[in-house]
Every structure is written in structure tokens, then in C-alpha cells.
Amino acid sequence: MIADRPMMPTAEHAAPDAPGVLLVLNDVVAAAEEEFNRWYQQEHVADRLGVPGFRTARRYRAVVGQPKYMAVYECDAIDVFASQAYRERLANPTEWTRKIMPGFRSMLRSACRETWSAGTGAGGGAIVVQCKPGPGREQARAASSQTLWRRA
């Protein structure tokens, strides 16, 4: 993840108070796409940033490939995603949210602790690589961050 602060420790040495990150990737049915984007900009981002502990929200649209949309939310800590305020928002969606959600396709939602970050500024682009280390490759995250940092 490229974020707005100096490089953070690798996964093996992540600070317990490291920021939380919520990554949401999804497609949306074509008939609902225009309204989906209005909903995100006019209601959903403000709603999420109104939850105590949420710091920032960034949205991206794929140039090529799927899913077409990605949102990245940064929070004070991963515990924010288990907070009463956040769980209440999830359990009580707005009328507009209830209308939009059935149009979501290929949704991937992942809450995690930021273990590595490099660079400054919010940036205008992102590269997302999904990977899962196999047996004997538990150090893949640290190796990946070191490799990406050298090329950044």
C-alpha cells in the first residue's frame, strides 16, 4: 500500500497501533452504475467518514480488468471495524444503500492492519496484487514489500 507517511515496519514487526485499512473491490451492474457513483460520492463516503476512527477514504476505477471499482478506507486502528458505531452502521443501512447493494457484483471486502507503507501524498493511482503465500513461503509479505519499495 502506498500511503502518506514514511515506510512502516514489515509484517513481522508491525506496531500494534498500526492503522487499520478496509479495502473494498467490486463491480456493479451496468444499469445501476451511474446511481452507484452518485451514492458513493453523495452519501456513502461521508457516512463512513462519520464513524469515529475513520480517517480517509479514496476511490479508484480500474483502467483495465475487474473488479472495476476499489475503495480504500484508513482508520485509526483495525479495532475500528469491530466498534459499536461501525457495526451499527452496517446493521442499519440507509434507504439508498439498501437500493444500491443488490447491484454489487464480485465484491471483495478485506479489513487488515497496515504493515507496510512507503512514499508521501495520497497519489492518483494504485496497483493491487492479490496473493496468498503457500506453505514454506510465510515471509512473502516482507519480501514483497522490500521488492516493491526498491522499485518505487
Side-chain angles (χ1 to χ4, degrees):
M1 171 178 185
I2 303 300
D4 58 353
R5 69 182 134 287
M7 187 170 177
M8 294 193 59
T10 61
E12 294 76 26
H13 301 97
D17 60 347
V21 176
L22 178 63
L23 177 70
V24 181
L25 297 116
N26 68 284
D27 287 316
V28 65
V29 295
E33 192 165 12
E34 186 178 320
E35 186 174 11
F36 163 77
N37 283 302
R38 276 196 324 272
W39 165 77
Y40 235 113
Q41 292 302 113
Q42 294 175 13
E43 180 181 276
H44 191 65
V45 169
D47 182 61
R48 289 301 178 255
L49 292 177
V51 173
F54 272 70
R55 294 180 184 173
T56 64
R58 290 187 304 250
R59 291 189 67 212
Y60 300 87
R61 183 176 47 85
V63 176
V64 295
Q66 302 302 125
K68 186 173 183 177
Y69 293 98
M70 178 175 76
V72 179
Y73 302 92
E74 184 177 316
C75 297
D76 293 337
I78 197 168
D79 297 344
V80 170
F81 307 124
S83 71
Q84 181 65 32
Y86 183 60
R87 287 185 291 143
E88 189 172 305
R89 294 278 170 95
L90 292 177
N92 299 293
T94 67
E95 183 178 326
W96 201 2
T97 298
R98 286 193 304 274
K99 180 180 178 186
I100 293 296
M101 290 301 292
F104 278 41
R105 299 290 183 269
S106 308
M107 186 170 174
L108 171 67
R109 187 172 175 277
S110 182
C112 53
R113 181 177 291 115
E114 183 178 286
T115 58
W116 176 78
S117 179
T120 60
I127 297 173
V128 178
V129 178
Q130 292 177 289
C131 60
K132 180 178 179 182
R137 301 200 60 205
E138 289 78 15
Q139 303 301 318
R141 179 179 293 168
S144 296
S145 66
Q146 292 166 2
T147 300
L148 290 170
W149 175 247
R150 273 189 249 128
R151 293 183 183 173

